Amino acid sequence: MRGERALARRGLDEAVAWEHEVSGGTYGAPRIRHALTRAGVDVGVRAVAASMRRQGLTGLNTHPRPKHGGRGPVAHEDHCARQWDQGALDRVWITDFTYLRCAQGWVYLCAVRDAHSRRVLGYAMGEQQSTDLAITALDMAATTRGTFPTGVVLHADRGTQFTSQKLADYMRAARGTVSMEQAAVCWDNAMAESLWATLTTEYYYRRTFTTRDQVYTGVATWIEDFYNRRRIHTSLGGRSPIEYELHQAAWTTTA
């Protein structure tokens, strides 16, 4: 009996180590447990955590850090009140900027994400943080969806790129609504901050970039190949964003 337990524990340790390696050393016990469940291994999160401790394996903490400063005037109402996920796709899109440094200088990244599926629908990168970059990301999001969803709420912080008249005109023409944090409290756009925390902690800070082109290519690949298609989200029942959207589509079809 003792030998059987030791054999089972060794098998679990090997499976846990494999899923940890596949994630690039980023997954903690909850995501590894989801990955193992999908592979047909029935195991609890506590057993996975114990296995990780035995092997000296740790996940990465991707909880967002507060962001301060850089807030313009309130140009739009807050239509979300921190309830970004409205229970269906294309009801709320989240957008924000972050900046990444390489040897050539700064790269500014704007992303647009569906608040329900967490999928990055559109993104754009450039040398300047501008409204045009945000509009390019929105154009890509509309292309991903096949059209710009009528009535979608675009939630952003109070950066000048999002308070601009140019963005307001764009959203009005697209028959969408801009939503904006009101009190410049960091958690009012926490869903956007969570994406940046995941990107920097799991990918960007673990590499060295010499050129902007390397950043462009690397970040785009991470978003398209890993984050949207393969990264497990505990909030999505252990699915990736695209898997979740496909599951929702199949459920809607059969309902």
Side-chain angles (χ1 to χ4, degrees), residues 78-157:
D78 184 352
H79 295 278
C80 296
R82 302 187 189 179
Q83 297 297 318
W84 304 287
D85 185 350
Q86 299 290 317
L89 298 175
D90 299 324
R91 291 186 179 176
V92 177
W93 287 358
I94 304 292
T95 188
D96 195 17
F97 274 93
T98 194
Y99 43 90
L100 307 169
R101 189 168 183 81
C102 67
Q104 284 186 331
W106 292 107
V107 170
Y108 294 94
L109 165 63
C110 181
V112 177
R113 188 161 63 141
D114 190 289
H116 184 58
S117 69
R118 277 63 168 174
R119 181 180 179 180
V120 178
L121 302 173
Y123 54 90
M125 289 172 272
E127 297 180 30
Q128 295 184 350
Q129 186 173 349
S130 65
T131 299
D132 287 338
L133 210 62
I135 289 175
T136 299
L138 283 165
D139 285 341
M140 181 179 179
T143 299
T144 299
R145 288 304 194 216
T147 186
F148 203 102
T150 300
V152 68
V153 172
L154 179 69
H155 187 78
D157 65 16

Side-chain angles (χ1 to χ4, degrees), residues 7 56 125 130 188 217 252:
L7 184 62
M125 289 172 272
S130 65
D188 281 349
T217 302
T252 301

